[in-house]
Amino acid sequence: MKSFIAAIVVLSSVLLLDGAENSKLDIWSKEGLTQKERTALVEESKKRSFAEIAPALLKALVDYHPFYGINPIGDTPWNDEGLTGRDRVYLMASAVWHHHLASSDDLSKAKALLALLKDSSHMGERAILISALLNYQWCPEAENVLLEIAKNTKEDNSIRRLSVETLLSRCDLNTYMPLAVEIILAHKTGLDRCQAFNFTTNQGNRLFSLSEQNKRRFLAEGFGIINELPEKDLQTAYFVARRLGFVLRIESEFAPDQKGEKFQGKHGLTDEFFIDTVKNAVTWYSKHEKEVKLN
């Protein structure tokens, strides 16, 4: 037992060396590590200061991200026999990352995320950091940083969109809805724009707090996204139509009765169900366009 503990102490020291080595977690995929040793490294890392270990974890989450889907099970998924070394590193880093961030609100962790965001130009790292600010830890200083990112047209649209989604969720919805609409419309028409609308405006019942001006802007642009689609691609806007119906408090959010015979396919609902939902939204808008359009 003493030799095992000594080995773990050595491994943990290597894990968090100062300087360049601090960004490497290659020790986690070292050949010959036992399952107990891997798990001990994870548990030791969970006890470390988040600010100290976050740079190494972030780099591992980007550098060792799987090339394909992996879905190991159990309390120690990194010990799954079928994993590659890089997959083990990713799962170990992910477990430690989420352990630290899933705790109760901790201003120091939010500030550590923000410091990393300010220093990183890597799109993958920025996406992970902004998502962490959105879903886990938050600090007021993040608002201005994310605003600058969201307004920067030289940024990738995915990063701008994620930034404004975070602002909508964490700050005043009405303040940032105009910018959100602008960023949504910066995406290519079709699937990209529909997905941007769906992800960005996924704000639940908070959407009912939109000001009248912002509600009109939200609805006008949403219906505009639908109307710019060719008829063969209407089902692409299914979730856009449902979101618009939600905000308008339309019964069933434009969706037809799915029990209809033409909607029953061998493997679930037919394409007609999704197409008809969008068509119902288009029909509604044709009758109520003047009520929705901005003055």
Side-chain angles (χ1 to χ4, degrees), residues 63-280:
D63 291 351
Y64 293 93
H65 194 280
F67 298 122
Y68 42 78
I70 55 174
N71 190 30
I73 59 175
D75 295 333
T76 59
W78 48 84
N79 285 325
D80 189 295
E81 292 297 331
L83 294 174
T84 64
R86 63 174 292 117
D87 290 345
R88 293 189 196 283
V89 174
Y90 176 80
L91 288 170
M92 293 168 77
S94 181
V96 177
W97 180 263
H98 287 99
H99 168 81
H100 279 287
L101 293 182
S103 60
S104 57
D105 291 346
D106 187 328
L107 198 60
S108 67
K109 292 179 180 179
K111 289 185 175 182
L113 292 170
L114 189 59
L116 287 170
L117 179 60
K118 289 178 179 179
D119 288 341
S120 176
S121 59
H122 189 285
M123 194 168 77
E125 291 183 356
R126 287 162 78 78
I128 291 172
L129 292 165
I130 296 170
S131 294
L133 290 166
L134 168 63
N135 296 307
Y136 295 104
Q137 304 291 341
W138 177 255
C139 60
E141 296 93 324
E143 183 172 1
N144 285 335
V145 175
L146 291 175
L147 178 57
E148 289 306 309
I149 294 173
K151 289 166 59 178
N152 185 358
T153 56
K154 294 182 180 179
E155 283 276 2
D156 186 89
N157 276 337
S158 65
I159 299 299
R160 295 184 69 204
R161 191 210 63 72
L162 186 57
S163 297
V164 81
E165 179 190 350
T166 305
L167 291 169
L168 289 174
S169 299
R170 288 290 192 172
C171 306
D172 182 69
L173 186 74
N174 279 296
T175 297
Y176 294 110
M177 184 54 73
L179 179 58
V181 170
E182 176 186 325
I183 292 172
I184 289 168
L185 295 180
H187 288 70
K188 292 180 180 178
T189 58
L191 180 62
D192 283 354
R193 191 170 290 182
C194 287
Q195 289 184 333
F197 183 88
N198 296 333
F199 294 143
T200 309
T201 64
N202 185 22
Q203 300 294 325
N205 289 340
R206 295 180 69 240
L207 290 174
F208 296 133
S209 67
L210 285 171
S211 66
E212 185 62 25
Q213 184 78 352
N214 273 331
K215 181 180 178 181
R216 284 173 175 267
R217 177 180 286 108
F218 172 92
L219 294 172
E221 298 303 346
F223 282 111
I225 288 171
I226 293 176
N227 283 335
E228 68 192 3
L229 292 172
E231 188 166 355
K232 65 182 180 64
D233 294 333
L234 278 182
Q235 66 183 29
T236 302
Y238 169 75
F239 290 108
V240 176
R242 294 297 297 263
R243 184 66 47 74
L244 295 170
F246 172 76
V247 170
L248 288 166
R249 301 179 188 267
I250 302 290
E251 186 176 359
S252 299
E253 300 168 359
F254 294 126
D257 184 355
Q258 61 182 266
K259 295 179 182 178
E261 185 176 347
K262 73 172 183 175
F263 303 136
Q264 303 304 309
K266 290 183 179 180
H267 304 290
L269 294 170
T270 62
D271 289 348
E272 282 78 6
F273 174 79
F274 305 100
I275 293 171
D276 281 7
T277 299
V278 179
K279 285 183 176 180
N280 289 340

